[in-house]
Amino acid sequence: MIIASNFKTNHNRATTKEFIDFINTQHFFSEVRIFPPFTALDDFDLTPNIKVGAQNFFPVQKGSFTGEIGFEQLDEFDIDTVLIGHSERRHILGETQKSICQKYDFAKAKECEIVYCVGEPQEIRKQGIEAVMSYIWEQFDSIDINYEELIVAYEPVWAIGTGLSASLDDIKEVLDSLRAKIKVPLLYGGSVKVETIKDILNIENCDGVLVGTASWDVKNFSKMIEISDNL
Ligand code: PEP
């Protein structure tokens, strides 16, 4: 199982270090991914099943792109796992499928592990599963789904940061459809909590979770990893 924490715009250098140091002292079998803000990236001494990744990057090694972070900066911290396509970047920050594909191809060329996020907004969900899947497949336009370092996260937009998780049946339906074409690990994300993670991880074709809000408290995150380990 893969248990991932997306800090978004939360935590600072000191609290990120405390968080990672705490997780590092735990012994577990699950694969753990932590995505802190750029300013908190550092040379962490990590146990092999933990990786610290980047929430975003600009698809260049280096150059003149004021305010952006390229791979020269990420390489300094040996970052080789990245989030791409998160709904907050697509819907709040206006990332297009074209710019997402540029990032995807760049990260693939760098042989990074890519956690690629897809998911439908509320108005599409209301139209039923066919509309949901056709919306999601469009988010795979020009994306190499056979890339061996790919992890796909299904994250319905309306469930992210709202406290409203998709139902177990709805998650299963989407993951089953994804699994029919995609062989890489499939995660669910959207208001996962300590109380709900076990049932979600027990869904067939669910290989883990990407968690925002409920993971920012290290004790909660650690509990989620423990639940995953004990499945
Ligand atoms: C996320 O940011 O990917 C996410 C799933 O957030 P939350 O758990 O807060 O819904």
Side-chain angles (χ1 to χ4, degrees):
M1 287 289 172
I2 301 169
I3 310 297
S5 170
N6 176 13
F7 281 16
K8 313 191 193 196
T9 320
N10 297 282
H11 280 296
N12 56 29
R13 282 179 74 72
T15 62
T16 297
K17 188 174 178 334
E18 276 169 29
F19 187 106
I20 291 172
D21 285 350
F22 182 84
I23 295 297
N24 235 346
T25 60
Q26 313 293 299
H27 296 284
F28 48 81
F29 308 107
S30 299
E31 284 293 320
V32 169
R33 301 291 179 268
I34 299 168
F35 296 91
F38 284 134
T39 54
L41 293 177
D42 213 336
D43 272 327
F44 298 107
D45 189 13
L46 301 168
T47 54
N49 50 342
I50 308 180
K51 276 177 183 247
V52 168
Q55 295 176 25
N56 186 34
F57 60 94
F58 197 69
V60 292
Q61 188 62 25
K62 62 178 185 170
S64 298
F65 303 97
T66 302
E68 296 292 337
I69 301 286
F71 260 84
E72 184 171 277
Q73 292 77 47
L74 297 183
D75 284 343
E76 189 180 1
F77 303 113
D78 293 327
I79 299 295
D80 63 358
T81 184
V82 292
L83 273 184
I84 299 180
H86 192 279
S87 83
E88 285 153 12
R89 298 212 58 85
R90 290 181 193 265
H91 297 283
I92 302 176
L93 294 152
E95 275 192 15
T96 61
Q97 189 63 23
K98 190 171 168 220
S99 64
I100 286 168
C101 289
Q102 284 166 351
K103 290 184 181 185
Y104 191 94
D105 290 343
F106 196 90
K108 186 180 146 192
K110 294 284 296 182
E111 300 181 352
C112 286
E113 176 182 83
I114 299 173
V115 180
Y116 185 68
C117 306
V118 295
E120 81 289 355
Q122 183 75 291
E123 63 271 20
I124 302 291
R125 167 51 65 182
K126 284 187 187 144
Q127 295 167 31
I129 186 67
E130 273 184 33
V132 168
M133 289 317 300
S134 100
Y135 187 94
I136 289 175
W137 289 126
E138 279 180 23
Q139 295 180 318
F140 283 102
D141 264 2
S142 304
I143 294 295
D144 175 8
I145 56 170
N146 297 314
Y147 176 47
E148 54 194 26
E149 292 297 322
L150 171 62
I151 296 167
V152 170
Y154 167 53
E155 301 206 298
V157 178
W158 49 273
I160 297 180
T162 58
L164 296 172
S165 175
S167 72
L168 297 176
D169 286 347
D170 287 345
I171 300 170
K172 179 174 168 18
E173 202 171 28
V174 172
L175 295 185
D176 285 352
S177 301
L178 290 173
R179 174 59 74 229
K181 289 194 195 168
I182 296 180
K183 303 304 166 208
V184 300
L186 301 176
L187 313 185
Y188 167 75
S191 297
V192 176
K193 301 185 181 93
V194 171
E195 301 76 33
T196 58
I197 190 171
K198 186 172 177 197
D199 288 342
I200 292 170
L201 293 178
N202 273 325
I203 296 172
E204 197 188 345
N205 288 323
C206 184
D207 303 303
V209 287
L210 174 56
V211 192
T213 317
S215 70
W216 302 335
D217 177 309
V218 72
K219 294 271 166 54
N220 273 348
F221 189 56
S222 165
K223 182 84 193 143
M224 290 186 192
I225 298 168
E226 192 187 316
I227 292 169
S228 157
D229 265 21
N230 289 328
L231 283 180

